[in-house]
Amino acid sequence: MTFSLPKKGPDISIVICGEAGQGIQTLESLLTRTAKLSGYHVFSTKEYMSRVRGGSNSTSIRISPERVYAAVDRIDLLIPLTAASAERIKDRITADTLIIGERKFVSEALSRSSGEFIDIPFTETAKKLGRSIYSNQVVLGLVASLLALDINILKAKLRAEFEDKGSEIVDINIKAAHAGYSLYEGLIKDDKVISEIKKAGEATGDVPEEVKGEIVISGAEAVGLGAIAGGCDFIAAYPMSPSTGVLTFLAKHAEEFGIVAEQCEDEIAGINMAIGAWYAGGRALASTSGGGFALMEEGVSLAAMIESPVVVHIAQRPGPATGLPTRTEQGDLELALYSGHGEFPRIILAPGSAAEAFYLTQKAFNLADRYQCPVFILTDQYLMDTVTNTTPFDTGGLEVERHIVKTEEGYKRYALTDSGLSPRGIPGNGRGLVMVDSDEHDEDGRITEDLSVRTTMVDKRLRRLTLIKEDIVEPTLIGDKDAKTVLVGWGSTLGVVREALTSINSEDILFVHIAQPYPLHQKVLELVEGAGRFLVIEGNATGQLARLIKLETGREADGKILKYNGLQFTVEEVEERIGEVL
Amino acid sequence: MKKTDFDIEGMETAWCPGCGDHAILSALKASLDNLGLTPGKLVMVSGIGQAAKIPQYFNTNYFNGLHGRALPAAVAIKASNPELTVVAESGDGDMYGEGGNHFIHTIRRNPDITNIVHNNMVYGLTKGQASPTSRRGFVTPVQVSGVMSEPFNPLAVAISLDVSFVARAFIGDQQRTSEIIEAAIKHRGYALVDIFQPCPSFNKQNTYKWFRENTYYLEDSFDSSERLAALGKAFQTDRLPLGIFYRNEKPTFTDNLRIKTPGYRKIVDFKRLNGLISSLAS
Ligand SMILES: Cc1ncc(C[n+]2csc(CCOP(=O)(O)OP(=O)(O)O)c2C)c(N)n1
Ligand code: SF4
């Protein structure tokens, strides 16, 4: 019988699973980029264990004629590279799933629960070419052939990938990919499979040039690029999953863009360096995950007291403590919201896509400089590690706003103003002196225990919140603005809810995506207040955004869609759970 | 004392009478003045403690940050504007206790900054608990049976890390202290000056008299380029040597990073950024 792919289209969901160290990431990178260059939309996300070798990891790749925004449960094509990793995701295997792989990795039960199992000796094929390590390229060739990807693009990608290992290695890898192509052609000839997956624009007949020109990017890279565009010239970080990608990206490009990329002794050093850099006129980023951020809190409070700009990126992962190091969660909104002792204004941004990660990170630097306060960028493992194609970021309208004044003699760093913002000078730029103090201080910046000055200074610092509130990122609204049900989410749930709503096709629901959870935009509060039913969707156990909205509006959520097992929601899951609460 | 640009007219300090901090303040101002430095190009960075209040009594730029965290801020200030002279200064509790990890790693980075530590072998501001450098047997309201831990040896630690410059002074001799500070500021690279500073209020054991009797200056013939000899001197804890122990000029943090332009004058290369963005399309 011929197995036709995909069963539920229009896209195909491919899962490749194996263990750490098997090169799944390279495979994913080559496949998504080749597919995009051949005219497909791509989306890939990974879940992996916290280990360098072994374990069970999987990468889910969607390849589609239409834009795809999120992960799905459904597996159209499974390619297992170990038996254990296939076993681990057995619940996702259905009669719609085609498994292609080696017999030894596919148990009897697994093959029975699938729609079809085709035994393909990837390793043997690779061994014939030299060594079994080329088997990933055989897999790649087979999938490329199934998707009718341009072999020349694939060859060029392989060449670029293995170039520095020498031409011999490049040749064998290309041969391995060719072998994969032939294997698939064999399957076609034997009427085993047909693939009905179309490229973007193929249905209408026009060439999908637009998709081909898009960039393929991870959330981590988008944050890194946004930082560069925001004028970041210093990154101070201590490695911690899932934030490390931002550090490595900026370190890689440090020299070309004049960035100091310093791996600190700990996160405490990280934030104090970042604040020191801003004091001297730099634009620094501190980047970490929840645990590291907990160590930074006193520094956040310092930034608040000395009215220093600082940008802190927190890539969330499940806690408490070490939690699940390589998984995702939206559990640290309240951590960021209430971080640091004392009372002071702050800004929290939470991008929901690679594009938002870029533009909001860029903006974070300007906001920090403008309002002289801590600005947090809350992402998570899911967003960091998710790779999608997207319109190339447009730097045209972007500006690095430097709100630094040249000081005059007698300059007062904390001069009292109506807005609460004092013009910010830096040492060595002008005739004034710049004095900042973590103790309570007067307008000059000198330590004081004058209690009326204390009250004045607290009021001054807090006054800036009024200005901050006039400059809030608008929520993204998806659906009918007059819908009775308002579903509110923040950060990385944007894509999955967007996609789920297209298939639910309900006119009765409006999705409000919040990219700035604090302060909340007036529009969000109004929509919640006017809603017939108010629902939230969050990747945590207690509904932290719901709590914040209640604080602001007094309104309790009528329903909460929550998830906290370490994985992001899938499209099907959101469809089902919205269905349940509607 | 000669007047300097760093003085503040009619200033009062929060230090006790007889405290060694007063003389350190004068010695430092004299050193800066001798070197021809001006307040506008100097940044004093400090943490929290009695010693860490020193910038308050200075007419200059300052960053009076958190307890223990002066060094990371100082490193970044220097890196963000290499044209500034940066002095990081605090007490022994601040630098070696709360900030101990930063102390180690700042030496490794070798930023071109001067690190002055007021070593009074006690916590002054919090009223008399042991500090990392308190000698064994020192009795306090917390260490009621006397300090039992081995005292921290900042000089030996620094030399082990191949510090670029390390010296010890005793503020009972203001002139020599000022000369040592001057040499430290002039030195290109990280320079540590640990200054014995009597705290008459909370350390009745390590007094001016005690320091005078238990210290001596390194001989003129002492060769400060000899790391092992310096380490030997640092290990001497019966009579404590004073002077410059070790010097080793090497590339600084900013040299290694090839930073020349102050951050605030940097212009983002958007053309290059656009190139990087579009490279992700292939
Ligand atoms: C995080 C933190 N912990 C504790 C303190 C309280 N504290 C302030 S100064 C100090 C120690 C002071 O000793 P030292 O650094 O030796 O300076 P001294 O006062 O003796 O000059 C302590 C524990 C603080 N300010 N911050
Ligand atoms: S408590 Fe000690 S260190 Fe502090 S000012 Fe008084 S004498 Fe000096």
Side-chain angles (χ1 to χ4, degrees):
Chain A
M1 203 188 74
T2 313
F3 192 94
S4 71
L5 275 170
K7 293 278 183 249
K8 290 221 171 82
D11 67 295
I12 179 169
S13 157
I14 303 171
V15 172
I16 301 169
C17 59
E19 54 184 45
Q22 271 189 318
I24 299 183
Q25 275 208 43
T26 313
L27 188 54
E28 174 213 6
S29 160
L30 290 167
L31 181 59
T32 48
R33 279 154 185 91
T34 309
K36 193 276 310 187
L37 285 169
S38 305
Y40 285 110
H41 290 280
V42 295
F43 176 95
S44 90
T45 182
K46 3 185 179 312
E47 55 90 23
Y48 49 100
M49 288 185 169
S50 180
R51 48 199 287 178
V52 177
R53 297 268 153 197
S56 294
N57 300 343
S58 71
T59 290
S60 302
I61 305 170
R62 291 176 72 192
I63 295 185
S64 169
E66 293 169 7
R67 203 172 285 285
V68 266
Y69 300 96
V72 288
D73 268 328
R74 148 177 76 84
I75 301 177
D76 298 312
L77 173 62
L78 174 68
I79 302 180
L81 303 181
T82 63
S85 61
E87 230 25 68
R88 202 175 144 90
I89 50 172
K90 62 174 189 283
D91 292 348
R92 290 172 64 192
I93 296 167
T94 68
D96 292 344
T97 309
L98 169 66
I99 304 178
I100 295 185
E102 303 185 31
R103 177 89 261 173
K104 61 180 181 216
F105 300 146
V106 185
S107 69
E108 205 39 61
L110 213 60
S111 99
R112 237 180 295 120
S113 63
S114 73
E116 180 80 51
F117 164 58
I118 303 175
D119 185 0
I120 294 272
F122 288 120
T123 317
E124 270 315 302
T125 312
K127 269 193 190 149
K128 278 187 204 139
L129 291 166
R131 281 169 60 195
S132 59
I133 56 161
Y134 303 117
S135 66
N136 278 6
Q137 269 52 265
V138 182
V139 171
L140 186 59
L142 184 138
V143 177
S145 174
L146 185 146
L147 296 167
L149 302 188
D150 187 335
I151 182 98
N152 290 322
I153 296 174
L154 183 60
K155 274 190 194 162
K157 283 263 125 202
L158 285 168
R159 205 166 287 126
E161 180 72 31
F162 298 105
E163 197 162 44
D164 46 356
K165 296 203 168 125
S167 61
E168 208 174 314
I169 302 289
V170 170
D171 288 345
I172 302 180
N173 275 292
I174 290 176
K175 267 194 204 136
H178 269 293
Y181 264 82
S182 311
L183 282 171
Y184 183 73
E185 276 155 21
L187 295 181
I188 295 279
K189 218 181 286 149
D190 299 346
D191 279 338
K192 288 217 167 131
V193 270
I194 43 167
S195 156
E196 275 153 11
I197 163 106
K198 294 209 165 35
K199 292 175 188 169
E202 222 168 51
T204 51
D206 46 44
V207 191
E209 286 311 326
E210 232 167 83
V211 177
K212 291 183 182 173
E214 293 198 349
I215 58 173
V216 177
I217 189 168
S218 71
E221 291 167 328
V223 168
L225 285 172
I228 297 175
C232 172
D233 57 18
F234 202 117
I235 170 151
Y238 186 88
M240 184 170 190
S241 298
S243 67
T244 314
V246 174
L247 172 62
T248 51
F249 180 84
L250 287 174
K252 184 172 162 192
H253 299 288
E255 215 175 304
E256 17 166 355
F257 291 99
I259 298 167
V260 179
E262 183 59 3
Q263 180 178 325
C264 310
E265 55 270 33
D266 54 34
E267 289 82 354
I268 302 174
I271 186 125
N272 282 281
M273 278 189 187
I275 297 168
W278 278 98
Y279 166 78
R283 288 165 88 86
L285 170 68
S287 178
T288 184
S289 184
F293 180 67
L295 291 177
M296 291 187 179
E297 287 204 48
E298 197 192 9
V300 169
S301 193
L302 171 66
M305 185 50 137
I306 66 173
E307 299 181 41
S308 170
V310 69
V311 180
V312 184
H313 168 232
I314 310 170
Q316 300 165 98
R317 72 190 214 189
T322 311
L324 290 169
T326 58
R327 314 285 164 164
T328 203
E329 193 160 284
Q330 293 186 301
D332 295 334
L333 174 59
E334 286 176 339
L335 174 70
L337 182 58
Y338 299 114
S339 62
H341 52 295
E343 298 169 295
F344 53 88
R346 70 190 78 210
I347 294 169
I348 304 176
L349 305 172
S353 63
E356 279 193 355
F358 173 77
Y359 293 107
L360 290 180
T361 303
Q362 198 278 337
K363 191 183 171 79
F365 285 83
N366 288 342
L367 289 174
D369 206 335
R370 201 181 301 157
Y371 300 114
Q372 306 177 20
C373 70
V375 177
F376 303 102
I377 303 162
L378 273 185
T379 66
D380 51 35
Q381 179 267 329
Y382 174 79
L383 186 69
M384 285 289 97
D385 292 337
T386 289
V387 174
T388 45
N389 62 298
T390 187
T391 316
F393 303 142
D394 180 7
T395 62
L398 303 181
E399 217 182 302
V400 174
E401 296 174 21
R402 292 187 198 271
H403 301 267
I404 293 174
V405 295
K406 196 159 187 152
T407 58
E408 297 295 338
E409 200 124 12
Y411 169 75
K412 290 179 189 304
R413 174 65 189 86
Y414 303 106
L416 292 171
T417 60
D418 289 345
S419 67
L421 271 180
S422 315
R424 188 168 73 93
I426 55 170
N429 181 38
R431 298 169 54 182
L433 297 175
V434 182
M435 299 177 278
V436 303
D437 205 308
S438 74
D439 284 273
E440 190 56 271
H441 43 257
D442 59 17
E443 286 182 85
D444 286 322
R446 297 255 175 219
I447 193 168
T448 184
E449 294 202 34
D450 179 325
L451 303 185
S452 76
V453 173
R454 155 71 183 173
T455 313
T456 307
M457 284 297 166
V458 171
D459 291 342
K460 168 205 187 309
R461 287 190 288 268
L462 289 173
R463 229 172 13 250
R464 289 171 299 160
L465 194 56
T466 314
L467 274 183
I468 291 171
K469 281 187 171 171
E470 287 164 9
D471 190 10
I472 301 176
V473 179
E474 287 224 14
T476 303
L477 305 184
I478 299 172
D480 185 352
K481 287 183 190 45
D482 301 319
K484 274 207 276 311
T485 301
V486 172
L487 172 67
V488 184
W490 61 283
S492 69
T493 54
L494 171 63
V496 70
V497 179
R498 182 196 289 273
E499 207 170 313
L501 288 185
T502 43
S503 47
I504 290 174
N505 208 5
S506 166
E507 280 163 20
D508 202 33
I509 187 162
L510 171 69
F511 177 51
V512 181
H513 162 67
I514 296 174
Q516 179 168 349
Y518 189 82
L520 281 168
H521 198 283
Q522 191 56 33
K523 213 177 230 174
V524 175
L525 306 180
E526 282 163 15
L527 283 165
V528 166
E529 277 160 356
R533 273 161 61 75
F534 156 47
L535 309 174
V536 291
I537 178 162
E538 298 186 58
N540 58 47
T542 59
Q544 299 188 11
L545 178 73
R547 211 151 34 234
L548 177 59
I549 291 178
K550 187 181 174 200
L551 206 65
E552 299 277 341
T553 62
R555 175 137 190 207
E556 187 98 47
D558 300 308
K560 292 181 198 157
I561 302 171
L562 305 173
K563 183 171 180 178
Y564 45 92
N565 71 346
L567 298 175
Q568 176 62 288
F569 291 100
T570 60
V571 176
E572 295 94 329
E573 202 174 1
V574 174
E575 283 166 6
E576 196 184 307
R577 293 184 61 182
I578 289 181
E580 281 166 20
V581 287
L582 264 184
Chain B
M1 255 345 260
K2 192 175 132 212
K3 283 187 100 177
T4 74
D5 290 349
F6 300 98
D7 297 340
I8 299 171
E9 205 70 51
M11 170 207 73
E12 260 179 63
T13 73
W15 291 324
C16 313
C19 172
D21 287 342
H22 298 284
I24 296 180
L25 176 66
S26 304
L28 174 59
K29 283 181 178 173
S31 313
L32 293 164
D33 194 52
N34 278 346
L35 288 167
L37 290 167
T38 55
K41 288 287 178 199
L42 173 72
V43 181
M44 295 281 297
V45 186
S46 72
I48 296 298
Q50 290 291 81
K53 285 182 183 152
I54 197 159
Q56 304 289 339
Y57 314 131
F58 252 91
N59 178 49
T60 192
N61 300 293
Y62 67 75
F63 183 103
N64 191 167
L66 296 170
H67 185 50
R69 317 299 169 199
L71 287 174
V75 169
I77 291 168
K78 183 70 186 179
S80 291
N81 189 349
E83 293 168 4
L84 299 168
T85 298
V86 177
V87 175
E89 187 157 350
S90 279
D92 47 325
D94 182 292
M95 287 290 178
Y96 306 143
E98 188 88 49
N101 200 22
H102 311 312
F103 174 67
I104 291 172
H105 296 281
T106 305
I107 295 173
R108 293 182 50 236
R109 280 184 191 105
N110 194 31
D112 185 14
I113 65 172
T114 307
N115 187 187
I116 299 175
V117 184
H118 299 210
N119 186 353
N120 55 8
M121 304 182 178
V122 73
Y123 279 13
L125 186 60
T126 46
K127 300 196 176 358
Q129 305 81 17
S131 93
T133 54
S134 295
R135 315 252 308 170
R136 274 183 195 271
F138 181 62
V139 176
T140 83
V142 176
Q143 288 74 22
V144 289
S145 311
V147 169
M148 293 173 194
S149 301
E150 190 62 40
F152 184 71
N153 186 332
L155 280 77
V157 169
I159 297 164
S160 304
L161 293 166
D162 203 20
V163 67
S164 192
F165 178 109
V166 60
R168 182 157 57 206
F170 163 46
I171 196 55
D173 184 348
Q174 198 173 315
Q175 183 57 37
R176 289 289 283 273
T177 300
S178 182
E179 285 164 20
I180 290 171
I181 294 175
E182 213 176 300
I185 297 173
K186 255 199 335 226
H187 179 84
R188 246 186 128 264
Y190 170 87
L192 171 67
V193 187
D194 181 87
I195 305 177
F196 285 147
Q197 170 242 322
C199 165
S201 298
F202 295 110
N203 188 339
K204 311 279 184 198
Q205 192 175 316
N206 308 104
T207 58
Y208 283 95
K209 181 162 177 284
W210 186 91
F211 281 118
R212 216 164 277 126
E213 286 167 359
N214 287 280
T215 58
Y216 71 97
Y217 280 100
L218 291 167
E219 306 76 19
D220 285 343
S221 59
F222 180 76
D223 181 357
S224 64
S225 69
E226 285 289 328
R227 191 165 168 213
L228 278 180
L231 195 57
K233 287 292 181 189
F235 282 156
Q236 264 182 26
T237 48
D238 44 348
R239 287 193 71 224
L240 298 149
L242 303 172
I244 298 168
F245 283 58
Y246 183 58
R247 271 190 256 231
N248 173 23
E249 266 217 43
K250 52 185 176 178
T252 67
F253 185 64
T254 33
D255 290 342
N256 291 330
L257 293 167
R258 279 174 267 166
I259 304 167
K260 287 188 191 75
T261 330
Y264 74 97
R265 276 194 242 133
K266 259 181 223 160
I267 290 166
V268 175
D269 189 345
F270 273 104
K271 220 170 133 193
R272 195 185 273 270
L273 178 61
N274 289 337
L276 177 57
I277 292 171
S278 39
S279 76
L280 296 170
S282 57

